[in-house]
């Protein structure tokens, strides 16, 4: 099994830390992992993205130009990465701020309104964990118990009291994600 | 139990430096290697092992602090990225001339000039051919994973002290910034002054009971003596060439075509080998781990086996010159690489291979 993921959005949305928690979850499941961030000028107040690879075998290139799954959290990232999902792959997006919804019909598309939901339940900081939970519902590449271990590993100890809240958000994300059928794509 | 962590290449350099018993780090921040010093500052080794971590006023100061520490037989290192390493070239040739062991890390970014902060491999000539003046060589290691970033710090110090020569870790923004699993080595104690005096009698530790004082210098104004000194250095470099070549070969046994790549490009080529083989093209990868000493003999041997060699580096073609010298005209050698901070994709590598060698 090899899962190649791009997570892309604005700086400050928790894109890099979401990737880090996912990578750590892979470590806890004794998989090979790599985490390659964008660290260029774009991360200084613009778009941020991270490539995460989870694999049962040795990972070759940590830098990729096509992906099994794209998790897209803003319009710029949609413009950049929708076309880079492999045919048959998966695109997950948060609709907040999205003007041009995805159009491809050769991939599975899921929508998660995590920004709205996090605001509704007054817990904006758990937004990225909701998205991660949604992703893991669609692609259960790591077991939830290993995600929780990964969360613990990647959070500094002073933040460990937040783990329960993050766990709730992970589960909630799995509940609110929904697949967009290709017929709906035409309508939105 | 094994201690497996997820960390950036730059963080691994810092952790490994403390664990291998380094005495001092002197550096100046620059993207994409700033996490080296940031991690050292966060880990505060001066409170545990006694290792000194100092932000110098410049890269020139850093390398000269390294010179001072190395002269005392201490395990000292610095790290920087391309423009900063250019500033260190004078210090490096002095260290080589005075035969001082030390470790210098270059997390390469795109040049020339201030260039870009994105990854590149365009400092190969500077590291391998000598960016400073004079006939000198650095021992150059090229890690291709976060694990190797950690392992090569200790290895670099071993080689540096074995040969009394600066050792250089030539890496890039990809390997420095990416996170992978890494198993950290157990802590080694720092050398005591008694150990340094016993094992490295050249070190300037004070004259004490010895008859002659130790002098660390790279100057010798008597040309005959200076020629002898140069001959001694050249003999040392030949010995290093004969004994310290390290490389990795992937799928070379039945290869019709050979990729040669180091560092991040080697990782990309690993995937390119898979892509090419899925298309029915038998491609292998030779990854030099040491750039000096260069795996000349192994490339020469494979040159007789394959129909073409493609050297892949994020530069306009630097290592390709050494690959051509090794192949010595037996087979066609071409170069492929993106420039200025762009990272080539595995499919671009395969396409280049096809364009060079498989199209009539």
């Amino acid at each position: 099994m090899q899962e190649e993921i791009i997570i892309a959005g604005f700086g400050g949305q928790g894109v890099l830390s979401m990737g880090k928690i996912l990578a750590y979850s892979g470590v806890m499941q004794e998989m090979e992992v790599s985490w390659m961030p964008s660290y260029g000028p774009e991360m200084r107040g613009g778009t941020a993205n991270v490539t995460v690879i989870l694999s049962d075998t040795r990972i070759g290139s940590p830098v990729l130009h096509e992906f099994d799954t794209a998790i897209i959290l803003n319009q710029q990232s949609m413009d950049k990465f929708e076309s880079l999902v492999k045919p048959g792959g998966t695109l997950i997006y948060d609709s907040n701020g999205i003007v041009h919804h995805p159009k491809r019909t050769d991939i599975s598309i899921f929508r998660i309104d995590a920004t709205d939901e996090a605001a509704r339940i007054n817990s904006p900081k758990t937004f990225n964990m909701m998205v991660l939970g949604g992703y893991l519902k669609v692609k259960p590449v790591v077991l939830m118990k290993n995600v929780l271990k990964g969360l613990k590993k990647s959070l500094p100890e002073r933040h460990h009291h937040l783990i329960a809240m993050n766990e709730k958000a992970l589960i909630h994300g799995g509940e609110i994600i929904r697949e967009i059928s290709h017929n709906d794509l035409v309508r939105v | 139990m094994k201690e497996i962590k997820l960390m950036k290449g730059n963080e691994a350099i810092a952790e490994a430096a403390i664990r291998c018993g380094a005495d001092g780090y002197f550096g100046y921040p620059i993207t994409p290697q700033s996490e080296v010093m940031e991690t050292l500052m966060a880990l505060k080794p001066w409170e545990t092992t006694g290792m000194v971590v100092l932000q110098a006023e410049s890269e020139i100061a850093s390398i000269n602090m390294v010179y001072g520490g190395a002269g005392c037989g201490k395990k000292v290192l610095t790290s920087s990225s391309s423009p900063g390493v250019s500033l260190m070239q004078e210090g490096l040739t002095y260290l080589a001339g005075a035969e001082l062991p030390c470790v210098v890390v270059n997390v390469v970014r795109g040049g020339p000039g201030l260039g870009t902060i994105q990854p590149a491999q365009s400092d190969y000539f500077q590291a391998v051919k000598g960016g400073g003046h004079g006939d000198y060589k650095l021992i150059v290691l090229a890690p291709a994973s976060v694990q190797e970033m950690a392992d090569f710090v200790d290895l670099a110090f071993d080689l540096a002290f074995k040969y009394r020569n600066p050792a250089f870790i030539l890496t890039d923004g990809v390997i420095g910034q990416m996170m992978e699993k890494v198993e950290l080595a157990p802590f080694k104690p720092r050398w005591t002054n008694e150990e340094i005096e016993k094992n490295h009698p050249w070190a300037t530790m004070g004259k004490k009971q010895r008859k002659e004082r130790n002098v660390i210098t790279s100057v010798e104004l008597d040309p005959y003596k200076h020629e002898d000194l140069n001959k001694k250095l050249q003999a040392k470099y030949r010995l290093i060439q004969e004994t310290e070549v390290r490389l990795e070969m992937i799928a070379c046994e039945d290869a019709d075509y050979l990729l040669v790549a180091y560092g991040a490009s080697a990782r990309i080529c690993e995937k390119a080998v898979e892509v090419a083989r899925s298309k029915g093209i038998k491609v292998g990868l030779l990854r030099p781990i040491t750039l000096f000493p260069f795996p000349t003999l192994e490339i020469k041997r494979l040159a007789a086996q394959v129909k073409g060699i493609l050297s892949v580096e994020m530069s306009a073609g630097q290592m390709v010159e050494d690959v051509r010298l090794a192949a010595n005209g037996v087979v066609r050698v071409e170069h492929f690489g993106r420039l200025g901070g762009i990272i080539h994709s595995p499919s671009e590598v395969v396409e280049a291979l096809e364009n060079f060698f498989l199209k009539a």
Side-chain angles (χ1 to χ4, degrees):
Chain A
M1 193 285 289
Q2 178 145 320
E3 166 81 347
E4 302 170 342
I5 310 142
I6 180 95
I7 309 173
F10 287 119
Q13 275 180 318
V15 165
L16 299 187
S17 56
M18 195 194 319
K20 189 173 167 185
I21 290 162
L22 181 58
Y24 248 124
S25 311
V27 174
M28 294 302 130
Q29 202 154 305
E30 295 186 355
M31 298 168 100
E32 297 303 319
V33 304
S34 75
W35 176 97
M36 179 70 211
S38 61
Y39 67 88
E42 71 267 37
M43 77 177 272
R44 285 142 216 235
T47 60
N49 68 70
V50 61
T51 302
V52 177
I53 307 176
L54 303 171
S55 178
D56 295 329
T57 52
R58 171 168 154 160
I59 294 168
S61 178
V63 183
L64 299 169
H65 294 69
E66 51 172 12
F67 306 92
D68 296 311
T69 302
I71 301 174
I72 291 174
L73 305 174
N74 66 7
Q75 185 63 54
Q76 288 96 316
S77 303
M78 184 72 82
D79 299 342
K80 193 167 172 188
F81 294 111
E82 182 186 357
S83 61
L84 301 183
V85 178
K86 293 178 196 170
T90 303
L91 187 154
I92 295 170
Y93 75 107
D94 186 306
S95 62
N96 184 53
I98 297 288
V99 186
H100 307 292
H101 289 258
K103 294 187 187 66
R104 281 181 61 181
T105 53
D106 60 338
I107 57 174
S108 306
I109 295 175
F110 294 83
R111 172 169 161 172
I112 179 165
D113 293 337
T115 310
D116 294 347
E117 185 64 8
R120 191 184 67 78
I121 62 172
N122 203 19
S123 183
K125 281 192 172 164
T126 60
F127 152 81
N128 62 346
M129 287 301 97
M130 274 190 213
V131 176
L132 182 60
Y135 163 72
L136 290 169
K137 175 81 178 183
V138 174
K139 287 226 162 165
V141 285
V142 276
L143 300 172
M144 191 52 82
K145 68 167 188 188
N146 290 323
V147 179
L148 294 177
K149 280 193 210 164
L151 194 59
K152 210 169 168 180
K153 272 274 186 183
S154 60
L155 282 180
E157 214 138 277
R158 65 180 190 277
H159 289 149
H160 277 191
H161 65 282
L162 300 172
I163 288 176
M165 184 177 84
N166 281 295
E167 183 178 1
K168 253 172 73 182
L170 281 163
I171 293 163
H172 194 46
E175 292 162 354
I176 62 171
I177 193 163
R178 59 196 170 89
E179 183 160 12
I180 306 289
S181 76
H182 293 142
N183 292 335
D184 291 342
L185 279 181
V186 185
R187 263 176 260 141
V188 287
Chain B
M1 203 186 116
K2 284 193 290 185
E3 195 180 344
I4 292 186
K5 288 192 167 185
L6 186 69
M7 59 172 68
K8 285 189 172 195
N10 288 337
E11 295 166 347
I13 294 269
E15 286 268 5
I18 300 170
R19 284 167 183 260
C20 79
D23 297 297
Y25 171 93
F26 312 96
Y28 189 81
I30 182 170
T31 305
Q33 70 76 55
S34 295
E35 293 87 356
V36 178
M37 189 159 48
E38 277 172 25
T39 306
L40 283 166
M41 290 293 184
L43 292 170
K44 299 184 184 170
W46 55 90
E47 290 178 358
T48 51
T49 71
M51 177 186 177
V52 172
V53 182
L54 188 83
Q55 177 170 339
E57 67 269 35
S58 71
E59 290 86 350
I60 298 173
S62 310
I63 195 70
N64 284 295
M65 288 175 183
V66 166
Y67 189 111
C72 304
K74 299 284 184 185
K75 284 170 93 167
V76 288
L77 76 157
T78 183
S79 64
S80 189
S81 180
S82 309
V85 177
S86 288
L87 287 168
M88 293 182 182
Q89 292 306 314
E90 182 195 45
L92 276 167
T93 173
Y94 276 57
L95 280 149
E99 291 195 88
L100 288 180
C102 66
V103 174
V104 177
V105 183
N106 184 358
V107 185
V108 178
R109 59 189 247 181
L114 207 48
T116 172
I117 61 173
Q118 302 295 336
Q121 295 181 304
S122 42
D123 297 354
Y124 178 92
F125 282 153
Q126 188 191 56
V128 173
K129 309 291 175 186
H133 58 277
D135 279 320
Y136 77 94
K137 291 279 185 194
L138 305 173
I139 298 167
V140 184
L141 300 171
S145 64
V146 176
Q147 184 66 55
E148 286 188 344
M149 288 286 258
D151 296 344
F152 286 5
V153 176
D154 195 23
L155 174 63
F157 272 120
D158 280 353
L159 293 170
F161 276 90
K162 183 174 172 188
Y163 293 101
R164 273 191 69 181
N165 204 72
F168 199 86
I169 297 178
L170 185 69
T171 182
D172 55 71
V174 174
I175 309 292
Q177 288 295 324
M178 72 187 286
M179 284 204 284
E180 284 186 315
K181 282 203 292 195
V182 53
E183 187 188 338
L184 294 170
F187 282 89
K188 283 194 210 171
R190 287 172 52 226
W191 293 332
T192 61
N193 283 353
E194 291 70 35
E195 284 173 312
I196 294 173
E197 255 178 303
K198 183 166 162 273
N199 298 325
H200 310 295
W202 49 264
T204 47
M205 310 272 299
K207 188 168 167 247
K208 301 190 180 155
Q209 303 305 318
R210 276 180 277 109
K211 269 189 178 159
E212 295 296 324
R213 63 198 174 115
N214 282 344
V215 178
I216 301 286
T217 181
S218 63
V219 70
E220 176 50 72
L221 295 179
D222 177 339
Y224 294 100
K225 280 189 188 164
H226 197 51
E227 186 179 42
D228 287 344
L229 178 76
N230 265 283
K231 282 181 177 166
K232 191 180 137 213
L233 288 178
Q234 293 304 317
K236 176 170 83 174
Y237 302 147
R238 276 195 299 277
L239 179 65
I240 294 170
Q241 179 68 54
E242 282 159 19
T243 39
E244 301 298 346
V245 171
R246 287 166 170 80
L247 71 152
E248 184 184 14
M249 284 199 251
I250 293 171
C252 288
E253 304 77 26
D254 65 339
D256 289 331
Y257 298 93
L258 182 68
L259 301 174
V260 182
Y262 69 95
S265 279
R267 295 290 295 270
I268 290 152
C269 286
E270 225 182 291
K271 184 98 176 178
V273 167
E274 261 176 55
V275 174
R277 284 193 173 252
S278 73
K279 292 172 122 183
I281 315 166
K282 285 187 194 164
V283 176
L285 167 65
L286 186 147
R287 172 171 80 92
I289 292 172
T290 48
L291 297 174
F292 176 78
F294 195 69
T296 305
L297 291 177
E298 291 73 11
I299 292 174
K300 186 181 171 190
R301 187 176 65 72
L302 283 165
Q305 171 194 320
V306 299
K307 297 174 197 159
I309 300 179
L310 185 65
S311 175
V312 181
E313 29 172 351
M314 293 185 279
S315 79
Q318 300 192 8
M319 181 181 69
V320 65
E321 293 191 1
D322 286 333
V323 179
R324 282 203 179 109
L325 284 171
N328 199 20
V330 168
V331 71
R332 197 169 135 211
V333 177
E334 295 291 349
H335 159 77
F336 173 72
R338 300 291 300 267
L339 304 171
I342 304 281
I343 307 166
H344 27 245
S345 70
S347 50
E348 281 176 322
V349 172
V350 176
E351 202 184 304
L353 184 87
E354 288 174 319
N355 285 339
F356 280 124
F357 299 112
L358 292 156
K359 297 221 167 114

